[in-house]
């Protein structure tokens, strides 16, 4: 089986990709989406989101990273895909799943699930200009408001030339509310010849087993579950018998803090630590306690005095 690390806008960025792939268990990563409008983006826009491009499109632990693009104009998507391929991308992934209202209002992400023909045209245009040795893949949801077009959308991606697809087992309207409808992934998989990767509501080893059983997929993608339990991929692959200790997890938190120091504003750094602690509190009681200590603190200096010095003193 393969386990792919999903992006999470505003948290699971290149810094956290580096940390989580260093812990191990992931076979591939996907970058946060890069929005394509009506222009050819400059190279630095891709390097900013995926600096791994400067390292043969791999994290320092040698995990390959696909570059994800999002947009609705087939020609512009093709132009930008061609550019990012020339920058050394391991693969190009196309986002048809983002449920964010601002993205959908601008005819991006999950909004395109209402237009299977356009999805086909986008994938086809990208596949036509990207060298054959670079895989073109896509991520979709089960639909916008309903699953009515789910099978049509999946076929459109296959016929457009996608090598494989990730299916997030909810509609846009469902958002991230449980449950995930893994049985729908099985329906999609049954009509396609290409590989299908299951995604959605995989928080534990048991969830992964159930998802594989119900969806019929060997491969899975994990996002929120990966930041909730940084060692989940190793546990699923039976390379660990028990989750990473809280002390080790605190060291991982400290590494993330230090990685943000050069170029992330202090207030944003505090916000990201809070956000990650919030996820970790689902798995670790200690994270719940720590989160209660700092959840109302917004001033970076106060945060450092109350929490930072205790958490990172060994690193500093």
């Amino acid at each position: 089986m393969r386990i792919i690390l999903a992006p999470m806008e505003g948290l699971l960025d290149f810094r956290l990709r580096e940390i989580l792939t260093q812990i191990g268990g992931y076979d591939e990563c996907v970058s946060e989406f890069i929005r394509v409008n009506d222009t050819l983006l400059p190279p630095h826009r891709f390097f900013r989101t995926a600096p791994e491009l400067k390292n043969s499109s791999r994290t320092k632990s040698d995990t390959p990273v696909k570059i994800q693009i999002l947009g609705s104009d087939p020609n512009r998507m093709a132009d930008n895909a061609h550019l990012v391929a020339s920058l050394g991308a391991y693969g190009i992934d196309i986002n048809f799943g983002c449920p964010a209202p601002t993205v959908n209002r601008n005819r991006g992400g999950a909004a395109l699930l209402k237009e299977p023909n356009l999805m086909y045209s986008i994938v086809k245009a990208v596949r036509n200009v990207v060298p054959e040795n670079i895989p073109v893949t896509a991520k979709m949801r089960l639909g916008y408001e309903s699953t009515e077009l789910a099978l049509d959308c999946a076929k459109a991606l296959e016929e457009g030339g996608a090598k494989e697809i990730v299916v997030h087992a909810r509609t846009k309207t469902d958002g991230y509310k449980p449950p995930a409808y893994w049985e729908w992934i099985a329906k999609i998989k049954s009509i396609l010849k290409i590989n299908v990767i299951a995604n959605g509501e995989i928080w534990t080893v048991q969830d992964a087993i159930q998802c594989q059983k119900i969806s019929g997929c060997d491969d899975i993608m994990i996002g929120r579950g990966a930041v909730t339990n940084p060692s989940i991929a190793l546990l699923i692959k039976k390379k660990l018998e028990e989750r990473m200790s809280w002390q080790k997890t605190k060291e991982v938190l400290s590494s993330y803090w230090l990685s943000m120091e050069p170029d992330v504003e202090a207030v944003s750094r505090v916000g990201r630590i809070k956000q990650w602690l919030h996820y970790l509190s689902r798995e670790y009681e200690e994270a719940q306690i720590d989160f209660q200590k700092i959840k109302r603190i917004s001033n970076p200096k106060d945060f450092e005095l109350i929490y930072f010095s205790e958490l990172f003193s060994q690193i500093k």
Side-chain angles (χ1 to χ4, degrees), residues 198-215:
N199 175 233
E201 287 301 298
I202 301 173
W203 300 94
T204 66
V205 173
Q206 188 58 38
D207 289 339
I209 293 169
Q210 280 295 103
C211 178
Q212 286 182 303
K213 180 179 178 181
I214 294 171
S215 70

Side-chain angles (χ1 to χ4, degrees), residues 86-303:
S86 74
L87 298 176
Y90 162 79
I92 310 292
D93 191 66
I94 306 174
N95 184 317
F96 296 109
C98 178
T102 52
V103 170
N104 297 160
R105 280 197 297 270
N106 288 286
R107 206 185 181 196
L112 295 178
L113 295 167
K114 296 181 283 188
E115 303 181 71
N117 290 338
L118 180 55
M119 293 172 67
Y120 165 84
S121 296
I122 291 170
V123 176
K124 183 69 172 175
V126 169
R127 180 67 277 175
N128 284 346
V129 300
V130 171
E132 193 62 35
N133 65 307
I134 297 178
V136 172
T137 60
K139 184 177 183 182
M140 62 172 278
R141 283 177 171 251
L142 298 180
Y144 193 77
E145 294 177 336
S146 73
T147 57
E148 181 181 1
L149 296 176
L151 300 182
D152 292 335
C153 290
K155 286 296 289 183
L157 298 178
E158 179 180 60
E159 292 170 2
K163 180 181 179 180
E164 63 183 6
I165 64 171
V166 174
V167 179
H168 183 112
R170 284 180 277 231
T171 65
K172 181 271 178 191
T173 302
D174 292 331
Y176 294 97
K177 298 188 300 290
Y181 301 97
W182 297 326
E183 65 275 11
W184 259 101
I185 302 180
K187 293 179 184 180
I188 290 171
K189 187 175 186 298
S190 71
I191 67 164
L192 301 184
K193 296 177 182 177
I194 60 174
N195 188 46
V196 178
I197 300 166
N199 175 233
E201 287 301 298
I202 301 173
W203 300 94
T204 66
V205 173
Q206 188 58 38
D207 289 339
I209 293 169
Q210 280 295 103
C211 178
Q212 286 182 303
K213 180 179 178 181
I214 294 171
S215 70
C217 296
D218 293 322
D219 303 333
I220 57 176
M221 172 179 274
I222 307 177
R224 293 179 299 159
V227 295
T228 296
N229 181 353
S231 54
I232 188 173
L234 291 174
L235 292 167
I236 292 169
K237 290 186 172 181
K238 299 182 179 179
K239 294 183 178 180
L240 281 182
E241 293 184 2
E242 58 183 33
R243 72 184 185 191
M244 196 163 62
S245 70
W246 177 241
Q247 182 56 42
K248 179 63 177 177
T249 303
K250 288 178 70 173
E251 293 174 9
V252 169
L253 271 169
S254 71
S255 296
Y256 186 50
W257 175 272
L258 293 173
S259 74
M260 290 189 287
E261 281 188 335
D263 56 358
V264 178
E265 292 183 356
V267 172
S268 296
R269 285 159 51 204
V270 171
R272 289 194 179 196
I273 293 294
K274 286 182 182 180
Q275 187 181 9
W276 196 3
L277 272 173
H278 177 69
Y279 278 108
L280 288 166
S281 66
R282 178 172 176 143
E283 180 72 21
Y284 293 92
E285 184 178 351
E286 297 93 334
Q288 297 178 29
I289 295 169
D290 283 0
F291 182 73
Q292 291 302 317
K293 288 180 183 177
I294 54 86
K295 69 178 182 179
R296 300 188 188 282
I297 302 172
S298 57
N299 183 287
K301 290 185 178 179
D302 291 341
F303 179 86

Side-chain angles (χ1 to χ4, degrees), residues 3-6 12-30 52 58-65 226 230-231 233-234 252 276:
I3 302 179
I4 292 88
L5 180 62
L12 214 170
D13 60 359
F14 67 88
R15 302 172 187 86
L16 203 43
R17 284 198 295 275
E18 186 62 52
I19 290 169
L20 292 176
T21 57
Q22 185 66 45
I23 292 169
Y26 294 100
D27 299 280
E28 289 182 3
C29 308
V30 179
E52 297 98 338
R58 291 174 178 269
T59 65
K60 291 178 183 177
S61 55
D62 204 37
T63 306
V65 181
S231 54
L234 291 174
V252 169
W276 196 3

